[in-house]
Amino acid sequence: MNKLEIKSAWTLAFQNCKETAIMSENTKNSLEKILPQLKCHFTWNLFKGESVPSDLEDRVCNQIKCLNTEFKATMYNLLAYIKHLDGQNEAALECLQQAEDFIQREHAGQTEIRSLVTWGNYAWVYYHMGRFSEAQIYVDKVKQSCKKFSNPYSLESPELDCEEGWTRLKCGRNERAKMCFEKALEEKPGNPEFASGLAIAMYCLDNNPQKQWSVDAFKEAVDLNPDNQYVKVLLALKLQTMNKEAEGEQLVEEALEKAPCQTDVLRSAAKFYRKKGDLDKAIELFLKALESIPNNAYLCHQIGCCYKAKARQIQNAGESEARANREKIEELQQCALDYLNKARERGLNPLNPDSNLPELLEAEECYQISFSKELPHAERQQLLQGHCHSLERGRESADTTTVQQHLQGLSISKTSTEKGEMKQQAQNTAENPLPQNVPNSWYRQGLIHKQNGDLQQATKCYEKELGRLLRDVPSGIGSLLLSASELEEGSEETSQGAGKSNP
């Protein structure tokens, strides 16, 4: 090859590279306009600030193992999105391939419509990987399926609504999930899958008095889908609240027989037996569920509460009974504390605004065991430190801005002079406590006591402050942390400030 031919070859290669770069840039610009139109996990806004619950991946993987094959594609799609958020795009692509395989096997007559979410996820993952041409392939697949509708990149379909509903349900977006299933049922009334989804979403919303649902909705879901064991257990829990425990227990036993390893069935069945008072059975089922998802803070918390309740049963049996079983009581209390600490280590915050306050408040009661004078001093100090930490986190959840303002003046790197001032302030506080109607007075006193090393006094102050903050919560949580006189004073303060506008 002579010099002229070499020069021509280089020129052609350069032009091809330039054209490829232009095409790639054009494809990227086009994708950025199209991708937000696709109905998939990337456009559903599933997590606040893309913050994924720490145990969600474990729960999704467990569902993939236990659920019927026709539901596995939904879970693989969600797992793909979780993997992407964790920076594992290659693993995300493998999950999407699994989802596609299940759809082709289990939904042969609806392959295209059932694959739209998966194809949308494919397009987004490839886009984030910078593989724009491959992303465009999946965008074209979506367009090909939707071209007969006015919008070329999305369509209204009960199957898509159902997919979104299950995904949102798994991510805790229960109100939106309920709307998705209701919309799907409008198009296809009596569909077993849609009816089950709606019933579960309604159950998850049942703690709100304004959103109570009829037991008929669950009975219909069970009739339409008798193989869904989770729905049966949720119906049993509802029957239990209606004083129909025997009828409910039959459903629980049937569900456990047919799905002995399904985590959501085990967890809800354990909840049923705990409410019934059969704590040994409840602990057995909670522990079995924990084997599948060992990082689940909620399960650890529930086990701790069951051990605490067992200890209380013996104590309430009479003084002689309690004295004879002192070692057993201490053993149960220690088990309660161990599991409660595991729950805290795994991220459980009993006073998080998204938590079920009446149920998770029992964590607070479990910590009270640690204040027993019979425990060694070092152990009590360690447990008190953990309790202070939990209460501070709860206080931050309730009023983050105010806490941050006060923490600005309480850096952990205090000078000796500042520490001396804090100590003096703590002494002054003990002698002349701040008026209770001063905003955040209990919290500030708690910080002072903690800085001074008096963790028990700090804990008491934090509890008072949390009681003040949560005084008007419908669950009544504040009444467990404040005395009657403090509640009355708080009510007067509230009524006086009723005319003020909130920021």
Side-chain angles (χ1 to χ4, degrees):
M1 184 181 290
N2 57 38
K3 291 183 179 180
L4 184 60
E5 289 174 332
I6 293 173
K7 183 177 179 180
S8 297
W10 275 107
T11 302
L12 181 61
F14 176 76
Q15 288 176 341
N16 287 338
C17 288
K18 187 176 179 180
E19 289 174 4
T20 301
I22 293 171
M23 288 175 62
S24 179
E25 186 64 27
N26 290 339
T27 302
K28 179 185 176 184
N29 293 336
S30 174
L31 287 170
E32 287 174 353
K33 295 177 182 178
I34 296 169
L35 289 174
Q37 302 178 48
L38 305 181
K39 286 188 175 182
C40 63
H41 295 65
F42 289 81
T43 60
W44 285 340
N45 190 27
L46 298 172
F47 307 111
K48 296 176 182 177
E50 303 303 314
S51 177
V52 183
S54 58
D55 65 335
L56 181 58
E57 184 172 343
D58 286 343
R59 289 192 285 119
V60 171
C61 290
N62 180 261
Q63 291 278 283
I64 290 172
K65 291 178 184 176
C66 298
L67 286 176
N68 295 332
T69 52
E70 63 265 27
F71 295 108
K72 289 188 177 181
T74 299
M75 290 298 105
Y76 269 118
N77 265 307
L78 177 54
L79 184 58
Y81 184 55
I82 294 170
K83 293 289 188 185
H84 159 76
L85 293 178
D86 198 34
Q88 303 178 54
N89 284 321
E90 291 292 347
L93 292 176
E94 291 177 12
C95 292
L96 292 175
Q97 182 61 59
Q98 292 276 14
E100 207 166 22
D101 291 344
F102 275 110
I103 289 169
Q104 289 174 357
R105 284 204 304 269
E106 304 300 327
H107 302 286
Q110 295 181 308
T111 303
E112 273 194 315
I113 197 80
R114 293 274 185 172
S115 297
L116 289 175
V117 171
T118 307
W119 293 341
N121 286 337
Y122 261 126
W124 272 97
V125 172
Y126 277 127
Y127 169 81
H128 283 292
M129 295 175 76
R131 294 161 63 172
F132 305 128
S133 59
E134 287 160 292
Q136 186 63 50
I137 290 172
Y138 284 96
V139 165
D140 292 340
K141 280 176 172 279
V142 174
K143 183 177 180 180
Q144 183 68 23
S145 296
C146 301
K147 64 181 180 181
K148 53 190 151 191
F149 298 92
S150 56
N151 188 334
Y153 295 106
S154 68
L155 55 83
E156 295 299 322
S157 159
E159 285 77 18
L160 285 179
D161 292 327
C162 179
E163 172 95 1
E164 182 181 351
W166 285 122
T167 302
R168 289 188 179 279
L169 199 58
K170 198 68 183 174
C171 298
R173 297 301 182 91
N174 303 320
E175 184 66 57
R176 178 61 184 167
K178 175 175 171 285
M179 293 168 62
C180 289
F181 290 120
E182 287 175 336
K183 188 178 176 183
L185 281 167
E186 287 176 6
E187 293 294 321
K188 291 187 176 180
N191 181 286
E193 184 182 355
F194 305 167
S196 296
L198 177 61
I200 294 170
M202 292 169 76
Y203 180 88
C204 293
L205 291 166
D206 195 39
N207 289 321
N208 189 325
Q210 283 76 41
K211 297 173 182 175
Q212 297 286 320
W213 49 270
S214 168
V215 72
D216 293 338
F218 252 81
K219 287 184 176 179
E220 181 183 3
V222 170
D223 290 341
L224 289 170
N225 196 353
D227 293 331
N228 192 320
Q229 308 308 321
Y230 180 48
V231 175
K232 287 181 185 176
V233 182
L234 295 186
L235 173 57
L237 285 166
K238 185 65 177 179
L239 291 170
Q240 191 177 42
T241 64
M242 299 166 62
N243 297 321
K244 297 181 179 179
E245 191 169 74
E247 182 181 347
E249 189 165 10
Q250 289 180 352
L251 291 170
V252 172
E253 290 172 352
E254 182 181 337
L256 288 172
E257 182 181 347
K258 294 184 178 180
C261 299
Q262 192 171 320
T263 307
D264 50 5
V265 171
L266 290 168
R267 184 186 61 206
S268 298
K271 191 174 178 182
F272 179 93
Y273 284 110
R274 182 185 161 201
K275 288 183 177 181
K276 183 185 175 185
D278 189 345
L279 296 172
D280 289 325
K281 183 68 173 178
I283 292 171
E284 175 194 337
L285 295 173
F286 277 132
L287 287 171
K288 190 172 181 181
L290 193 63
E291 291 175 6
S292 299
I293 41 177
N295 293 322
N296 190 284
Y298 173 83
L299 291 175
C300 291
H301 161 260
Q302 291 295 313
I303 295 167
C305 289
C306 285
Y307 278 121
K308 176 207 67 175
K310 283 194 69 174
R312 185 188 295 163
Q313 280 182 348
I314 300 174
Q315 288 173 323
N316 292 343
E319 188 175 341
S320 59
E321 184 78 14
R323 197 164 37 242
N325 291 281
R326 183 172 177 177
E327 289 186 8
K328 180 66 174 176
I329 291 172
E330 289 178 355
E331 180 186 343
L332 291 169
Q333 288 178 340
Q334 187 59 53
C335 287
L337 289 170
D338 289 343
Y339 276 100
L340 182 62
N341 282 327
K342 287 179 183 179
R344 183 170 55 81
E345 290 165 5
R346 287 158 176 75
L348 181 73
N349 182 359
L351 296 171
N352 187 297
D354 295 328
S355 298
N356 182 344
L357 288 177
E359 189 169 89
L360 294 181
L361 182 62
E362 294 187 35
E364 163 69 21
E365 296 179 38
C366 290
Y367 268 114
Q368 300 303 327
I369 300 170
S370 67
F371 305 148
S372 168
K373 294 180 181 179
E374 297 170 4
L375 289 175
H377 175 73
E379 188 175 337
R380 288 181 65 226
Q381 287 295 102
Q382 181 182 0
L383 292 168
L384 278 166
Q385 184 75 45
H387 188 40
C388 282
H389 177 68
S390 290
L391 289 168
E392 282 182 340
R393 282 171 51 195
R395 174 58 171 78
E396 289 168 7
S397 296
D399 193 0
T400 306
T401 305
T402 307
V403 175
Q404 289 175 342
Q405 291 172 350
H406 290 298
L407 286 178
Q408 287 174 358
L410 291 169
S411 170
I412 57 175
S413 57
K414 295 283 183 187
T415 63
S416 58
T417 304
E418 288 173 314
K419 287 180 179 179
E421 292 173 356
M422 290 289 290
K423 188 172 183 178
Q424 181 63 40
Q425 191 174 356
Q427 185 176 348
N428 292 339
T429 299
E431 295 171 358
N432 301 295
L434 290 169
Q436 291 177 24
N437 58 356
V438 174
N440 309 304
S441 61
W442 289 117
Y443 181 69
R444 282 184 282 172
Q445 289 178 50
L447 286 175
I448 292 167
H449 285 301
K450 183 182 176 185
Q451 186 74 23
N452 200 32
D454 190 349
L455 294 178
Q456 187 157 351
Q457 193 61 37
T459 299
K460 291 179 180 179
C461 291
Y462 287 153
E463 289 173 339
K464 298 287 188 186
E465 176 66 6
L466 285 168
R468 185 187 69 80
L469 285 167
L470 301 171
R471 183 175 51 237
D472 300 319
V473 172
S475 65
I477 182 175
S479 64
L480 298 177
L481 301 170
L482 295 175
S483 65
S485 60
E486 288 161 345
L487 281 170
E488 288 176 7
E489 289 176 13
S491 299
E492 292 173 7
E493 178 188 336
T494 303
S495 61
Q496 290 169 2
K500 300 177 183 178
S501 60
N502 290 324

